[in-house]
Amino acid sequence: MYAMVVTRPDLAYVVGVVSRYMSNPGRKHWEVVKHILRYLRGTKDARLTFGSNNSTEVEGYTDSDYAGNTDNRKSTSGYVFTYGGGAISWRSKLQERTTLSTIEGEYIATSDATKEAVWIHRLSADFSAKRPLNHPAPTIYCDSQSAIHLIRNPVYHVKTKHIEVWFHHIR
């Protein structure tokens, strides 16, 4: 968990999945943990770097699978935020509710990323002593055109009325 949280965003998904079985692990789970440790040993020279590009903007990327968990059919959300080409914040998490469509899964994933973007924006504005009010907001990229259209269109949708107000703050 330490390696995933502090330095290795590439482990976020697999560590999250194997952690679900900590209370009752089986032989298969132990094999996965050994595979993770072998992967860490083989990639010990890999590290997060900054300065690969001259961008001073924070960019976020979000994605979701649809009912990827075969145990309960919940989707997994993930996001990563970069600054100067390096990852500064990341997360992979099983969604709390079962979604009814890929649009809803992507919408919830983007909602989670938006909450993180707001926090990063406020934090970076605190660090920017020159122009805290003009500090650019992070850009979030989502790969679902349907979810993007739902986010941009504030009209009431009969087919999406079950999406709670909790997720509508991204508008």
Side-chain angles (χ1 to χ4, degrees):
M1 290 289 288
Y2 176 79
M4 183 244 344
V5 171
V6 178
T7 62
R8 300 296 297 262
D10 54 333
L11 296 176
Y13 175 74
V14 71
V15 170
V17 170
V18 80
S19 295
R20 295 177 198 154
Y21 302 97
M22 285 178 53
S23 63
N24 188 17
R27 184 157 187 77
K28 184 177 180 181
H29 303 109
W30 177 243
E31 294 297 325
V32 172
V33 170
K34 289 194 311 187
H35 183 74
I36 293 169
L37 293 173
R38 283 193 301 270
Y39 174 76
L40 282 171
R41 186 177 59 210
T43 59
K44 61 184 172 191
D45 293 330
R47 57 184 55 94
L48 296 174
T49 59
F50 293 96
S52 62
N53 64 30
N54 294 331
S55 174
T56 59
E57 293 184 24
V58 176
E59 295 178 328
Y61 302 89
T62 182
D63 199 8
S64 173
D65 68 351
Y66 176 61
N69 186 334
T70 57
D71 294 334
N72 57 16
R73 288 299 179 202
K74 291 185 179 179
S75 302
T76 302
S77 297
Y79 62 76
V80 62
F81 283 90
T82 62
Y83 178 77
I88 59 170
S89 178
W90 57 86
R91 184 177 192 181
S92 174
K93 181 183 177 190
L94 191 66
Q95 292 181 357
E96 295 175 5
R97 56 186 283 169
T98 304
T99 56
L100 301 176
S101 65
T102 57
I103 297 170
E104 186 178 353
E106 294 281 351
Y107 192 84
I108 291 171
T110 307
S111 175
D112 289 342
T114 302
K115 289 185 269 187
E116 184 72 5
V118 169
W119 181 81
I120 290 171
H121 180 63
R122 289 179 180 162
L123 180 67
S124 61
D126 288 345
F127 290 143
S128 176
K130 294 180 182 178
R131 300 171 303 174
L133 297 177
N134 296 333
H135 197 73
T139 303
I140 300 174
Y141 297 100
C142 173
D143 64 350
S144 171
Q145 290 299 314
S146 301
I148 292 170
H149 291 304
L150 181 62
I151 292 166
R152 289 184 176 163
N153 188 357
V155 177
Y156 174 77
H157 297 275
V158 175
K159 293 186 178 183
T160 58
K161 68 180 181 180
H162 61 279
I163 299 177
E164 298 174 16
V165 175
W166 180 258
F167 302 109
H168 289 307
H169 74 279
I170 61 179
R171 291 183 176 159

